[in-house]
Amino acid sequence: MLNQLAKNQYVKIVKDDENNKEIEYGVVLNEHNNQYEIMSIGFENKNGHFLEYPIEVPDLVQTYAINDAMFDEVKENEVRRKMNIWMEKNYKK
């Protein structure tokens, strides 16, 4: 689990409550006063496979505090590769 995030870092976001566990993947766009703007790129389905979001999905960019979820660096090569491809196709700086 990460205590701090860096700009352009690929992160795995785990939101875990009593009834539900959501895993999303995103990239940190900006950081300001311990608030992080993270653009969601995809999620992990119930079978554990990474699925990309279409670019038309509303609210792809959300602001998180470090305590809002558990953040970890994306270590899976296949997921990182798919995230790179998604960024190249869809994200224009």
Side-chain angles (χ1 to χ4, degrees), residues 7-23:
K7 187 174 180 176
N8 296 325
Q9 181 179 21
Y10 286 161
V11 290
K12 183 177 185 176
I13 307 161
V14 180
K15 301 174 195 169
D16 197 2
D17 61 25
E18 296 171 9
N19 303 324
N20 197 5
K21 182 177 182 179
E22 289 182 36
I23 299 176

Side-chain angles (χ1 to χ4, degrees), residues 30-79:
N30 292 305
E31 183 270 331
H32 184 69
N33 292 335
N34 292 324
Q35 297 284 314
Y36 301 94
E37 282 186 358
I38 299 176
M39 181 170 54
S40 295
I41 294 176
F43 64 98
E44 196 171 284
N45 69 7
K46 292 179 182 180
N47 296 331
H49 293 97
F50 173 80
L51 298 176
E52 302 167 354
Y53 285 126
I55 194 68
E56 298 84 20
V57 171
D59 301 325
L60 281 179
V61 178
Q62 295 188 7
T63 302
Y64 292 92
I66 199 71
N67 297 330
D68 291 344
M70 292 188 312
F71 297 93
D72 202 359
E73 189 167 344
V74 178
K75 296 179 179 123
E76 301 90 347
N77 286 335
E78 182 180 341
V79 173

